[in-house]
Amino acid sequence: MCIGQVGNLLPHVTLSANLAQHLMPAWGLSAAEGGLMASGYAFGYMLAVPLLTTLTDRIDARRVLLWGSIVSGLATVAFGIFAQGFWSASAIWSIAGLGFAGAYMPGLKALTDRLPAGDTSRAVTLYTSSFSVGVGLSFLAAQVIADRWGWRTAFVVTGFGPIAMVVACLLMQERRPGPKVGRLLDFAPVFANREALGYIFGYGAHCFELYGIRTWLVGFWTFVITHQGAPSWLSPVVMSFCFAVISMPASILGNEAALKFGRHRAITMVMIASACVALIIGFNATAPAGVLALLLLVYGLTVPADSGALTAGMSAAAVSEHRGATLALHSTIGFGLSALGAWGTGAALDAAGGPQSASGWLLVFIVLAVGIAVGPLALLWARMVHAKHSLDHGIPPSA
């Protein structure tokens, strides 16, 4: 499943990886338009994921995963062949996001349905952290292919990545869920689960920050090279690949810290640290390239370190009968705020001077810091509600 997910993620940041250097110049786009085009992927995901993930409570998640992977791959190839400007590109990329909505969380459901009973925290974290390997390879392949053979070829080639998950699906044993009653899109039980909601809203803050920096990482490093210079080997390709790949050990270690010190405490500290690093980068956007490279690598550790713990916490807090609906809301909130993060940072960049302005990048990183700072507030809210509920029912708060 992890290998299949890496294949599914090969198209994931092909647009972001080529946005600043290829697509914006070719189509004369502003940063806000570029961010909005990139957010189409998350928007398509957000629209489709409530239905597709909730559907896994009623049919084998493998079927949703199979067709989602196929649509994601075909749409990515179609982008390389047919995209001609902002509107057509946004529409096709939204369809690719819609396909991925049937691939990521339904894939997690297909995995957890087939795991033995017991604590699945490490298995879930390995699956979610392999996301980072796929994104790293997507950054690498998309830029190398685009620089050598053009950006259209990059989309066509990365569009074949989901074949890996199609093969994984065909090798899985069938696993049908038990019969369910009630409406398909019934999120009332999920909204009643305040513990799960805390992790879901925290995940939204995480996704806002993550998608924002992934959309503009190549653009920021291009600004650094243009104004401060950098060694030839420290190219946007290398920087974006390293930033993405170190996310996997960061996510795993973050979950291990959550298991040892408590999820709320560990996630809160990671989020606060990430906000601080973002502000430091923003206020030092004109620092030497070596300093900024180190800061970005630290940021590459703090941004994803809460991901596995948030998803594992949500999965553990979910009521088994409504796990599909809980996963659906988790993804809807997460990718809805991902779309906002991509567009919001692009709009901030335009408002403060554009991609060639240090003040523009300062505002981008301030927006990212504010976004992730909402996460600890969501966790605190969930903890306070849980404590009040416990006291109302005569349960000690420590329970």
Side-chain angles (χ1 to χ4, degrees):
M1 284 296 293
C2 290
I3 293 171
Q5 182 178 213
V6 169
N8 255 348
L9 284 160
L10 202 57
H12 194 69
V13 292
T14 303
L15 189 148
S16 297
N18 290 296
L19 181 62
Q21 292 182 313
H22 295 284
L23 300 178
M24 286 172 61
W27 295 334
L29 304 178
S30 67
E33 288 173 326
L36 188 60
M37 186 171 66
S39 72
Y41 192 92
F43 185 70
Y45 186 105
M46 178 188 70
L47 290 179
V49 76
L51 174 62
L52 295 180
T53 306
T54 308
L55 196 61
T56 63
D57 281 334
R58 298 171 183 258
I59 67 172
D60 190 351
R62 180 188 67 158
R63 294 170 59 187
V64 180
L65 175 60
L66 174 64
W67 287 106
S69 302
I70 292 172
V71 170
S72 174
L74 289 177
T76 305
V77 172
F79 190 105
I81 298 173
F82 300 113
Q84 296 295 334
F86 173 79
W87 291 108
S88 61
S90 297
I92 297 172
W93 202 231
S94 296
I95 295 172
L98 185 151
F100 190 66
Y104 182 47
M105 280 299 168
L108 179 61
K109 180 69 160 49
L111 174 64
T112 54
D113 283 348
R114 288 162 175 80
L115 289 173
D119 184 18
T120 62
S121 179
R122 287 188 174 92
V124 170
T125 298
L126 185 61
Y127 177 82
T128 56
S129 60
S130 66
F131 195 107
S132 305
V133 176
V135 171
L137 290 176
S138 180
F139 267 124
L140 180 63
Q143 291 176 83
V144 169
I145 296 170
D147 290 343
R148 184 165 298 184
W149 293 293
W151 63 265
R152 290 190 182 276
T153 305
F155 278 91
V156 172
V157 172
T158 57
F160 284 94
I163 290 175
M165 185 59 92
V166 171
V167 173
C169 287
L170 295 177
L171 295 175
M172 280 184 206
Q173 290 184 339
E174 187 175 2
R175 184 66 60 86
R176 293 183 180 180
K180 295 290 187 298
V181 296
R183 293 180 291 114
L184 177 61
L185 295 176
D186 184 9
F187 293 112
V190 184
F191 281 109
N193 186 344
R194 294 296 190 267
E195 183 182 0
L197 275 183
Y199 291 114
I200 289 170
F201 292 141
Y203 181 70
H206 158 79
C207 288
F208 178 95
E209 179 189 37
L210 179 64
Y211 213 76
I213 186 59
R214 280 181 176 164
T215 299
W216 295 108
L217 177 61
V218 173
F220 175 65
W221 196 248
T222 301
F223 163 81
V224 172
I225 291 175
T226 301
H227 291 81
Q228 284 94 274
S232 58
W233 58 269
L234 200 54
S235 64
V237 176
V238 172
M239 180 54 63
S240 56
F241 175 75
C242 292
F243 185 94
V245 169
I246 61 175
S247 297
M248 182 172 186
S251 183
I252 293 173
L253 290 174
N255 185 66
E256 291 298 317
L259 292 175
K260 184 174 182 179
F261 301 111
R263 283 198 180 99
H264 278 218
R265 181 179 301 172
I267 293 170
T268 297
M269 294 306 297
V270 165
M271 288 178 166
I272 292 173
S274 198
C276 291
V277 175
L279 292 175
I280 292 171
I281 294 173
F283 281 104
N284 292 277
T286 56
V291 174
L292 286 169
L294 289 175
L295 286 172
L296 279 173
L297 290 179
V298 173
Y299 198 40
L301 292 172
T302 61
V303 169
D306 53 2
S307 175
L310 285 164
T311 303
M314 173 277 301
S315 183
V319 179
S320 59
E321 295 81 12
H322 305 291
R323 181 164 283 117
T326 308
L327 288 170
L329 186 63
H330 187 73
S331 277
T332 302
I333 296 294
F335 277 78
L337 287 174
S338 291
L340 183 61
W343 172 79
T345 46
L349 190 57
D350 277 342
Q356 299 304 316
S357 166
S359 60
W361 291 111
L362 168 60
L363 188 55
V364 166
F365 283 100
I366 289 176
V367 169
L368 293 175
V370 171
I372 192 59
V374 174
L377 298 178
L379 294 176
L380 179 62
W381 167 80
R383 194 174 185 86
M384 291 173 63
V385 171
H386 178 69
K388 183 178 183 302
H389 180 271
S390 298
L391 289 173
D392 289 345
H393 290 79
I395 304 171
S398 59

